[in-house]
Amino acid sequence: MEFLDLLALGFGAALTPENLAFCLLGALLGTLIGVLPGIGPTTTIAVLLPVTFFLPPLAGIIMLAGIYYGAQYGGSTTAILVNLPGEASTVVTAIDGYKMAQKGRAGAALAVAALGSFFAGTVATFGLAIAGPTLSGFALSFGPAEYVSLMIFGLLAATILARGPVLKAIGMILIGLLLGTVGTDLSTGASRMTFGAIELFDGIDFIVIAIGLFGFSEIIENLEKTGASGVKVAKITRLWPTREDFKRAWPAVLRGTGVGTFLGILPGGGATLASFSAYSLEKRVSKRPAEFGEGAVEGVAGPEAANNAGAQSSFIPLLTLGIPSNNMMAMMLSAFVIHGLTPGPQILQSQPQIFWGLVASMWIGNAMLLVINLPLIGLWVRLLTIPYRLLYPAILLFCCVGVYSLNNRIFDVALAAGFGLVGYLFRKAKCEPGPLLLGFVLGPLLETNLRRTLLISQGDASVFVERPISLTLLVATALLLLMMIVPNFRKNREEAFKGEEA
């Protein structure tokens, strides 16, 4: 009964006119930026983070969450119709989805993607509702030593599950950790790596780095790829799938939902890894492997279910343990911090309406997205014909306004532009910026908990192996390192991301 009471509390909070409006706004924005290539939810959330200063906490978080999982829906539209994925997680959807569109079955592919996404998102949200209280109760037994071990495990897992070479991902994590130390040391009062600049005494703002790495650099890269032009769109015929489509798609949706829910929880996981893994799984279990790449409906259903399940289940470690599992969850952590909230076990006890209101809004948001995506496909498709040279000045303006509004300083805008250039160079060198952002967010938390642990133990580092939970996490970290030595694991990891790099 307590579970039903808490759900009722969540729906009561989420169904207020204000929160419904922001849920709809987030779903619409998410679909829009998913449809328009070169923007992405990371950039959008980074730009809108300052806006949430002026919103009630739950309304702001509901809107940002809607943008994230809404983008997974919208990204499939461009992937299927023009072979141009609006989101990294929809790259594999384009392989078979675009082939279906070329054969005059774009409508069926879009419907399968939308229905599979709705089912997976609903199941993953239910998993969040079930797992949340259980994991939060377990997290109450965590002390500083356990959090240190958990963050080390999370950072290492993020490097292994990130795209690209592991050594480059580790390098990005280390850069992020170093950037997190810039500013005044709260324990000693000494300034660190400020180079005498007064503006850096309070450290580098998260939004400055996020907009630089994911906003400015995305604009540069997208202009380079597309030439700033519009695209040709495939013709949409019958929208509803056939009975044979449903027969082949639903098993793939169920498998994709399971894969996405599991991988979304893992540090470094999320929508992108889930979609690639689901596509690989469908190819292996299919009785028609030769059809993959030629318009197999399973190649659309499985990845689309997986990326939506992965997007929503990635909220589980953030909300229950207070640890972001990927760069998008690092953004969401900042949204909580902006409002003076600390996600983790305490939030379920002190402010349950925030946790359960967000969970309830995800169910509502998934229903909204189903309604938004199918009837309005024609509208979203027309937006694709707008040349990018007309879109990017507006995106650039919003990025600059978002950064400047933080402290009303031109210095922050210049710093963000510098990070944009650095981010572009990182991308050219095939260094994913996501691990850097994760290291930047977790670095100060790791340093604080490490100091606290050593103060309590009077400098005795054996405390990390004397506590059972901490020891278990360190053993898991060691096993991850050993896995990287195994040739088969390295080969499977490379294959999982081969399609995205192509």
Side-chain angles (χ1 to χ4, degrees):
M1 280 303 291
E2 185 183 358
F3 176 72
L4 295 178
D5 291 339
L6 290 169
L7 272 184
L9 172 68
F11 276 103
L15 288 172
T16 63
E18 181 182 48
N19 288 336
L20 279 175
F22 280 106
C23 184
L24 177 60
L25 178 61
L28 280 168
L29 284 174
T31 303
L32 175 62
I33 59 101
V35 166
L36 295 174
I39 304 176
T42 310
T43 304
T44 308
I45 290 176
V47 171
L48 291 178
L49 268 177
V51 176
T52 62
F53 286 145
F54 310 103
L55 298 178
L58 183 56
I61 292 167
I62 283 175
M63 181 185 71
L64 295 180
I67 291 171
Y68 178 38
Y69 57 78
Q72 312 308 320
Y73 278 76
S76 62
T77 302
T78 51
I80 290 167
L81 295 178
V82 297
N83 199 25
L84 188 62
E87 255 294 284
S89 58
T90 56
V91 169
V92 289
T93 304
I95 298 173
D96 287 282
Y98 185 60
K99 286 291 184 181
M100 289 179 70
Q102 287 181 313
K103 294 176 181 178
R105 305 191 62 231
L110 289 166
V112 165
L115 293 171
S117 297
F118 172 74
F119 175 82
T122 303
V123 171
T125 305
F126 185 75
L128 172 59
I130 294 293
T134 304
L135 286 176
S136 290
F138 171 68
L140 287 172
S141 60
F142 274 43
E146 284 77 11
Y147 273 109
V148 169
S149 299
L150 177 63
M151 281 183 263
I152 291 172
F153 171 76
L155 288 171
L156 181 66
T159 63
I160 291 175
L161 297 178
R163 298 184 297 278
V166 173
L167 286 178
K168 288 184 178 181
I170 291 174
M172 298 299 283
I173 286 278
L174 293 175
I175 293 172
L177 291 172
L178 286 172
L179 289 173
T181 65
V182 173
T184 303
D185 186 343
L186 295 178
S187 298
T188 64
S191 59
R192 302 185 294 189
M193 292 192 291
T194 60
F195 304 102
I198 298 174
E199 294 87 351
L200 293 177
F201 279 12
D202 288 332
I204 302 172
D205 198 286
F206 173 85
I207 296 172
V208 172
I209 289 186
I211 289 181
L213 290 179
F214 294 96
F216 293 159
S217 64
E218 284 267 2
I219 291 170
I220 299 170
E221 187 178 44
N222 202 60
L223 284 170
E224 183 182 49
K225 283 182 180 178
T226 66
S229 60
V231 294
K232 278 190 171 182
V233 181
K235 186 179 178 182
I236 302 173
T237 53
R238 167 185 169 133
L239 186 61
W240 201 247
T242 64
R243 182 176 295 181
E244 178 65 16
D245 288 333
F246 276 117
K247 184 179 177 182
R248 293 176 57 175
W250 279 111
V253 167
L254 291 173
R255 286 188 291 266
T257 301
V259 169
T261 302
F262 173 72
L263 290 178
I265 297 172
L266 295 179
T272 303
L273 181 66
S275 64
F276 281 92
S277 300
Y279 189 81
S280 298
L281 175 63
E282 290 308 312
K283 231 175 151 180
R284 291 184 181 183
V285 302
S286 177
K287 296 177 181 177
R288 312 174 183 88
E291 291 185 19
F292 280 78
E294 300 298 326
V297 70
E298 299 96 323
V300 175
E304 280 301 301
N307 67 33
N308 279 272
Q312 298 194 38
S313 65
S314 60
F315 281 88
I316 293 176
L318 174 68
L319 294 175
T320 58
L321 301 175
I323 302 296
S325 58
N326 52 50
N327 59 302
M328 279 303 309
M329 290 302 103
M331 296 275 191
M332 294 303 301
L333 175 61
S334 294
F336 277 91
V337 172
I338 282 171
H339 291 285
L341 300 172
T342 305
Q346 297 298 332
I347 201 169
L348 271 83
Q349 296 184 350
S350 60
Q351 292 181 301
Q353 73 277 7
I354 298 290
F355 175 86
W356 292 103
L358 178 59
V359 169
S361 77
M362 287 182 177
W363 271 311
I364 297 167
N366 273 284
M368 287 178 173
L369 283 164
L370 190 62
V371 174
I372 289 168
N373 274 269
L374 291 179
L376 298 181
I377 282 172
L379 172 63
W380 304 125
V381 166
R382 287 191 196 97
L383 291 173
L384 291 171
T385 60
I386 301 174
Y388 191 69
R389 67 176 178 273
L390 301 179
L391 287 175
Y392 85 82
I395 301 168
L396 191 61
L397 175 63
F398 282 122
C399 287
C400 292
V401 169
V403 172
Y404 183 78
S405 65
L406 293 173
N407 301 300
N408 298 326
R409 296 188 312 201
I410 294 295
F411 177 85
D412 290 336
V413 179
L415 193 60
F419 278 114
L421 179 59
V422 171
Y424 172 72
L425 295 176
F426 280 149
R427 291 168 190 266
K428 297 298 284 185
K430 303 212 178 287
C431 294
E432 187 186 359
L436 185 153
L437 201 63
L438 202 58
F440 178 78
V441 170
L442 291 182
L445 295 173
L446 178 61
E447 181 184 14
T448 299
N449 282 286
L450 180 60
R451 281 179 166 176
R452 192 175 297 162
T453 303
L454 294 177
L455 279 172
I456 293 172
S457 66
Q458 296 182 342
D460 185 5
S462 64
V463 67
F464 292 107
V465 295
E466 289 173 353
R467 298 176 68 91
I469 297 176
S470 176
L471 177 61
T472 302
L473 290 167
L474 290 176
V475 169
T477 304
L479 289 174
L480 280 178
L481 287 171
L482 289 173
M483 285 170 64
M484 290 309 300
I485 304 174
V486 180
N488 284 339
F489 179 83
R490 288 205 309 271
K491 182 181 177 183
N492 290 336
R493 178 183 177 276
E494 290 168 4
E495 288 178 354
F497 293 113
K498 189 183 294 181
E500 184 176 358
E501 292 169 0

